[in-house]
């Protein structure tokens, strides 16, 4: 049994909140730079502005976007880990509270969907837990802005709709989103499970590196095919046209019922902010 002191969790989550909002993930930065060299002239200019914005944010240690998101946290908790100093949920939320305060990040969370009272510290976070064997504690923090989150959709398809239905669901979601999620976007697709499982998978797909295709060839091929078809829509960077509507499509899958084909499409903006650490 390994003991993890709670203050270490608070400190790490605080640091991750600040880092994720100021520094683009390396794979996303590289994808933007590549597209800035290959797209049409107008699109290249916009992509260069996006890259320059990321450079300024990192250099000046300021947020790259005014929407600093709702904190989404993925936790892999080893069954042989004991946490002291408070509940894991309370410790994570304290880290978010300190990170958004000390990082001078916008507080965007309201306590009730209808009351709309701002909590003033960007808590509570949305936390997903996964119990794993051993003594590992891994935390991934992904601040999710709602310009992109609002463009996400879920479909409960018939099994007979198959791959064609999945492709149309993704393409329809992107067409309806248009320029709203600040393209070029990253697209997370969740296939299978149930209504809520597919949505979770689509969010989890966004934190996988753009350089890492799905381990199953049939889904890796679908990711590539979808990316080509999305970019053929011509929406382009910030919706001004071009060949880079999306930087990547990541698919996550799970077993499902014989009568269903759940498909969730979670749209991420060009920043696709996320950072991980092991404690």
């Amino acid at each position: 049994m390994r003991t993890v002191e709670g203050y270490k969790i608070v400190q790490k989550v605080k640091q991750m909140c600040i880092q994720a909002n100021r520094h683009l993930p390396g794979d996303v930065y590289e994808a933007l730079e590549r597209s800035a060299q290959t797209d049409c002239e107008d699109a290249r200019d916009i992509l260069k502005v996006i890259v320059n914005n990321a450079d300024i944010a990192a250099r000046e240690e300021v947020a790259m976007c005014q929407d600093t998101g709702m904190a989404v946290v993925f936790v892999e908790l080893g069954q042989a880990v004991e946490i002291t100093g408070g509940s894991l949920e309370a410790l994570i939320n304290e880290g978010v509270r300190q990170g958004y305060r000390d990082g001078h990040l916008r507080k965007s969370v309201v306590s009730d969907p209808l009351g709309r009272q701002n909590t003033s510290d960007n808590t509570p976070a949305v936390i997903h837990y996964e119990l794993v064997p051993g003594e590992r504690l891994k935390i991934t923090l992904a601040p999710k802005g709602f310009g992109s989150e609002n463009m996400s959709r879920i479909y409960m398809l018939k099994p007979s709709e198959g791959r064609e239905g999945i492709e149309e669901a993704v393409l329809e979601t992107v067409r309806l989103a248009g320029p709203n999620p600040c393209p070029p976007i990253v697209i997370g697709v969740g296939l299978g499970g149930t209504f809520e499982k597919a949505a979770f998978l689509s969010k989890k797909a966004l934190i996988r590196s753009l350089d890492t295709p799905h381990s199953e060839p049939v889904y890796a091929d679908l990711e590539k095919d979808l990316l080509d078809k999305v970019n053929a829509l011509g929406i382009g960077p910030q919706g001004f046209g071009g060949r880079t509507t999306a930087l990547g499509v990541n698919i996550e899958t799970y077993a499902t019922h014989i009568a269903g084909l759940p498909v969730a499409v979670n749209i991420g903006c060009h920043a696709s902010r996320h950072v991980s650490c092991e404690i």
Side-chain angles (χ1 to χ4, degrees):
M1 180 69 72
R2 183 170 77 95
T3 299
V4 176
E5 296 165 301
Y7 78 89
K8 294 180 179 178
I9 295 171
V10 173
Q11 190 64 26
K12 283 293 185 182
V13 171
K14 171 185 172 179
Q15 292 169 356
M16 287 193 292
C17 287
I18 296 171
Q19 179 182 346
N21 275 291
R22 294 178 177 178
H23 300 271
L24 276 180
D27 59 316
V28 176
Y29 188 91
E30 290 169 9
L32 286 166
E33 279 200 312
R34 286 195 299 270
S35 296
Q37 302 300 318
T38 59
D39 212 322
C40 61
E41 183 175 355
D42 289 343
R44 286 200 305 270
D45 290 342
I46 296 169
L47 288 163
K48 288 175 182 176
V49 170
I50 291 173
V51 170
N52 188 46
N53 178 76
D55 290 339
I56 292 171
R59 183 173 65 249
E60 301 295 331
E61 292 294 336
V62 295
M64 67 184 79
C65 176
Q66 51 84 24
D67 184 352
T68 53
M70 189 170 191
V72 179
V73 183
F74 297 87
V75 178
E76 295 179 29
L77 177 62
Q79 291 173 310
V81 174
E82 178 187 16
I83 295 168
T84 63
S87 73
L88 181 54
E89 183 171 342
L91 294 167
I92 290 172
N93 278 313
E94 180 58 27
V96 171
R97 182 178 295 110
Q98 292 185 20
Y100 275 75
R101 180 196 66 200
D102 296 353
H104 307 291
L105 305 173
R106 194 182 82 183
K107 290 81 173 174
S108 304
V109 175
V110 295
S111 59
D112 180 80
L114 291 180
R116 313 304 293 181
Q117 180 67 39
N118 198 298
T119 64
S120 300
D121 60 9
N122 222 58
T123 68
V126 175
I127 308 172
H128 302 286
Y129 301 97
E130 180 183 359
L131 284 175
V132 297
E135 298 182 339
R136 183 184 193 193
L137 175 56
K138 180 180 179 181
I139 298 176
T140 299
L141 186 134
K144 192 65 166 66
F146 266 60
S148 59
E149 188 75 354
N150 285 339
M151 298 297 105
S152 304
R153 296 169 66 87
I154 190 163
Y155 300 78
M156 301 303 289
L157 302 183
K158 300 179 181 69
S160 59
E161 295 180 78
R163 177 168 174 148
E164 183 177 339
I166 294 167
E167 290 185 358
E168 182 50 39
V170 173
L171 293 172
E172 179 182 64
T173 300
V174 176
R175 283 194 296 263
L176 290 171
N180 293 305
C182 292
I185 56 178
V186 177
I187 304 169
V189 181
L191 301 179
T194 53
F195 181 89
E196 80 283 1
K197 182 68 172 182
F200 165 74
L201 291 171
S202 69
K203 180 62 61 63
K204 188 176 181 181
L206 290 179
I207 65 174
R208 197 176 85 220
S209 172
L210 298 178
D211 301 325
T212 305
H214 198 283
S215 58
E216 293 290 334
V218 63
Y219 293 113
D221 178 70
L222 181 55
E223 289 173 338
K224 183 178 182 302
D225 193 32
L226 280 169
L227 181 59
D228 290 341
K229 290 181 178 180
V230 165
N231 284 333
L233 294 174
I235 296 169
Q238 300 299 299
F240 288 106
R243 296 189 294 273
T244 313
T245 297
L247 298 173
V249 178
N250 287 349
I251 296 173
E252 294 293 331
T253 64
Y254 196 77
T256 193
H257 192 278
I258 57 172
L261 178 55
V263 180
V265 187
N266 197 204
I267 302 295
C269 70
H270 69 264
S272 192
R273 297 167 294 193
H274 60 274
V275 62
S276 299
C277 78
E278 290 199 26
I279 302 172

